[in-house]
Amino acid sequence: MEPSVSDRWALADPRLAIDLLSTLRHEHDAVVDDLADAHETTAWLRDRHPDTDDGAQTRALLVRLRDLVRQLLTTAVDGTPAPPDVVAQISLLAAGAPVTLAARTHPDGTVTVERASHGDPDVTLAADLARSALILLAEPARDRLRLCRAPGCILFFLQQDPRQQWCSPTCGNRARVARHYARRNTRPDAGTGRS
Ligand SMILES: [Zn+2]
């Protein structure tokens, strides 16, 4: 009998690294950091990675990885060379908990295949996040990776369609308003009442 393949077999999910970077963002002119302390980190982990929900233990690793991933993806969208030490550190973390496929037979004779990773939960999470960053450097994800160019926004996103320029509709609105005011203030006849 053919094994059924679940969609959980994938080596890496590119959205995980984007999600990690989104823990640090600007909201209403203030910096929000979901990994600001152990308590906040625990809350973030519970929502997303419940296998590893001890923020006190995991926070330093996540903050370090977030910094590395930001450096890596910034060079990717800028088209500049990635720092070799950053690449090496992310590769090392990605290899911390290798992924394999685990097959299981069921009483009815079916075989299911699932992605499996073994190791300490913190190391496994860091490896998943690191692999997610690396897969963003490869097609097809690389082609869709963008840095939001709205004023003050530092978020990366995966384009849903080729015209998408902003991480969210909110950023799109802010950018349009900023452009409108910039045009008004640089026009030679600004303030004269003519249009
Ligand atoms: Zn944005």
Side-chain angles (χ1 to χ4, degrees):
M1 187 174 291
E2 287 291 308
S4 64
V5 180
S6 86
D7 61 359
R8 284 174 285 174
W9 63 268
L11 181 63
D13 180 344
R15 294 168 302 181
L16 292 183
I18 303 257
D19 191 47
L20 175 66
L21 292 186
S22 303
T23 56
L24 189 64
R25 61 193 178 277
H26 289 164
E27 269 179 21
H28 311 299
D29 297 326
V31 175
V32 175
D33 184 355
D34 293 331
L35 308 181
D37 56 34
H39 179 74
E40 299 252 339
T41 305
T42 299
W44 183 80
L45 285 167
R46 278 202 186 129
D47 273 354
R48 289 167 157 83
H49 307 285
D51 289 348
T52 318
D53 66 357
D54 183 356
Q57 189 178 318
T58 316
R59 182 178 170 272
L61 179 60
L62 289 174
V63 169
R64 178 178 151 231
L65 189 53
R66 183 175 67 183
D67 183 47
L68 290 168
V69 171
R70 187 177 302 284
Q71 290 183 62
L72 184 71
L73 297 191
T74 300
T75 59
V77 296
D78 287 351
T80 53
D85 64 312
V86 170
V87 175
Q89 287 185 68
I90 293 177
S91 291
L92 198 63
L93 287 166
V99 172
T100 185
L101 295 180
R104 265 194 320 146
T105 50
H106 298 272
D108 64 359
T110 57
V111 178
T112 53
V113 180
E114 287 191 353
R115 175 187 189 279
S117 183
H118 303 286
D120 178 82
D122 289 351
V123 176
T124 303
L125 173 61
D128 273 341
L129 293 168
R131 272 191 293 266
S132 171
L134 294 179
I135 212 154
L136 283 167
L137 302 182
E139 299 301 339
R142 170 66 196 89
D143 205 37
R144 292 167 49 213
L145 179 67
R146 295 288 183 277
L147 177 60
C148 183
R149 302 292 179 184
C153 188
I154 55 171
L155 297 186
F156 288 83
F157 63 97
L158 285 170
Q159 275 187 328
Q160 302 296 317
D161 76 70
R163 290 164 305 165
Q164 185 184 352
Q165 295 181 65
W166 324 108
C167 70
S168 64
T170 308
C171 271
N173 287 335
R174 285 196 309 114
R176 273 186 284 275
V177 169
R179 262 202 312 240
H180 171 76
Y181 281 105
R183 266 202 304 264
R184 212 171 66 164
N185 292 335
T186 54
R187 248 187 5 220
D189 61 346
T192 63
R194 286 181 290 149
S195 59

